[in-house]
Amino acid sequence: MDHLKKLTNEVGAPVENNEHSITAGPRGPVMMQDVWLLEKLAHFDREVIPERRMHAKGWGAYGQFTVTSDITEYTKADLFQKIGRKTDVFVRFSTVAGERGAADAERDIRGVAIKFYTREGNWDLVGNNTPTFFLRDVHKFPDLNRAVKRDPHTGMRSAQNNWDFWTLLPETFHQTTVVMSDRGIPDGFRHMHLYGEHTYSMYNKENKRVWIKFHFKTEQGIKNLTDDEAAKINAVDRESAGHDLYNAIKNKDYPKWKMYIQVMTEEQAKNHYENPFDITKIWHHSEFPLIEVGELELNRWPENYYAEVEQSAFTPAHVVPGIGFSPDKFLQGRLFVYGDAQRYRLGVNYNQIPVNQAKHAEVADYSRDGMMRTDGNYGAAPAYSPNSEGYWAAQPDVMEPALDIAGAMWRYDPADDPTDDCFRAGGDLYRVMNEDQKKALIDNTARNIAPCSENIKYRHAVHCTWADQDYGKRMVEALKLDPKTVDKLAEGDHKALVKETLPGGKFSTKPCEMSCSECKDPCIETAENKM
Ligand code: HEM
């Protein structure tokens, strides 16, 4: 047995047996003094940490980001200062609504969180595979998640809850169109674009600020799955996107994305025709062209899933000098919530977990103590600031430029802004789709919304009509709704539509309780039904 690696207990002492409990007699009860057994069971009982509230199912990989183009006129961030400069990264991809055991190939947005280990500290860009988001006020985010996650009564996912919430909030329309489109189920993570979504800022060595959006275009090409293809894959492989990424890296077919920024000056932002800090709006590429920055490559699979992927923690609050936030109120909310979630999920010292540590910058933040402090806790260095020992002085030269903010403090509703149009972006997207993509959008939506009550279907059909007449007409046909009723409802505004479609109105609010596969008389018309 001398050639085998030796088993020890938790503090390094040899363990003589790992299979048989110590009992009082061959058929007797287990003894308290089997301390190795007690330790093994107690550790096992605590092996599960809370899963992320959303984005629970994910996969990660290491790689590098390489600068290919000069953007120093916009930013002084060290990682962008030289063409050819490489920065180590860790990236975690995820689905959003499903729990840790959910299947990968679900219709859902995909998260992408990128940790850049720069020489000025870690920068986390925490984005998705869609250019915009469902909501624009952080107040509504917990509700979105409750609507897409499990129903409190049945414990099941509920299309009724999903669509009820979405159709009551017109700002979700563009994102709903994206999720129901052919891009709603990417074929793995390698075949999708990645977006920062929010408006961020950059400032250069002269402390001049511009507003920025981040884009990463896949070099593998876009590839998506139909509902049918995804259902077949999920039946045999719930980890399909994980397998795809793992195999690509194992076979040295390293996935790559080209990074771009869109730039808007402060002056342009003041005169923009809609709120440039509203995450539900896009910046048209024709007006704000993509500027190449560099290339992201993933080329190393983590050694241990739990240590490196499950314990990874990203927050938009982690920026480096030269990159900053913006007045986007959704982003402002996120600046608080990630660190808060991670202190709950991983503990107050979560940044000491190796995958989260700054790798190329020294950390000196005065934070001490707390559960699971595993480094030297700053030894004998002073614990307070300022001090006369010359320790850790703040660095005023990295202060970002001041930002003028005007207006009275109030709970503003963006819908009251006369420039606000929640349906233009969704309509524009529909108009650039080819015929196959339009058909896929209508069919996917019809299947998805099929179990929902009549009032919700009418609400959505009216939204589609407001976005584009043809989109509306085809949705009405697919959902077998009355076109005259939709036209009548479309004459009013969204507030009137909500009033007409709440309980007590003329529409049924009862969802269908039968699964579509059992139904002999489908309430929707899709390409498959017609055949
Ligand atoms: C104000 C709105 C939002 C709130 C309150 C919020 C909250 C959260 C929370 C609590 C987590 C789990 C964090 C953890 O336990 O480590 C999370 C994960 C995540 N969120 Fe958000 N989120 C918001 C909006 C967004 C938006 C707009 C995006 C994309 C631009 C996004 C992308 C992600 C990603 C990618 C993850 C997974 C990070 C990882 O892989 O560990 N979230 N979010």
Side-chain angles (χ1 to χ4, degrees), residues 190-202:
R190 295 183 304 133
H191 297 284
M192 60 187 202
H193 299 326
L194 322 171
Y195 303 86
E197 291 191 357
H198 293 281
T199 300
Y200 288 90
S201 57
M202 279 186 166

Side-chain angles (χ1 to χ4, degrees), residues 81 131 191 218 441 451 489 531:
Q81 291 310 296
H191 297 284
T218 171
L441 167 68
L489 289 169
M531 287 193 297

Side-chain angles (χ1 to χ4, degrees), residues 73-92:
E73 69 176 291
Y74 305 120
T75 180
K76 65 176 182 183
D78 178 73
L79 81 155
F80 298 123
Q81 291 310 296
K82 213 166 145 215
I83 293 181
R85 180 163 292 172
K86 286 188 187 296
T87 301
D88 291 335
V89 298
F90 177 72
V91 176
R92 181 175 178 272

Side-chain angles (χ1 to χ4, degrees), residues 50-56 58 91-96 109-113 125-128 130 132-133 135 137-139 141-142 145 195-198 200 279 309 312-314 329-334 337-338 341-342 345-346:
E51 63 177 37
R52 290 167 178 81
R53 183 66 188 97
M54 65 289 311
H55 296 267
V91 176
R92 181 175 178 272
F93 297 104
S94 48
T95 49
V96 181
I109 55 177
R110 303 292 186 269
V112 54
L125 185 61
V126 196
N128 284 326
T130 56
T132 61
F133 197 69
L135 304 171
D137 191 318
V138 58
H139 237 298
F141 190 81
N145 284 283
Y195 303 86
E197 291 191 357
H198 293 281
Y200 288 90
I279 190 176
V309 184
S312 61
F314 303 83
K329 54 175 108 175
F330 210 58
L331 174 60
Q332 293 283 329
R334 293 181 73 205
V337 86
Y338 287 73
Q342 286 140 13
R345 186 164 68 84
L346 301 162

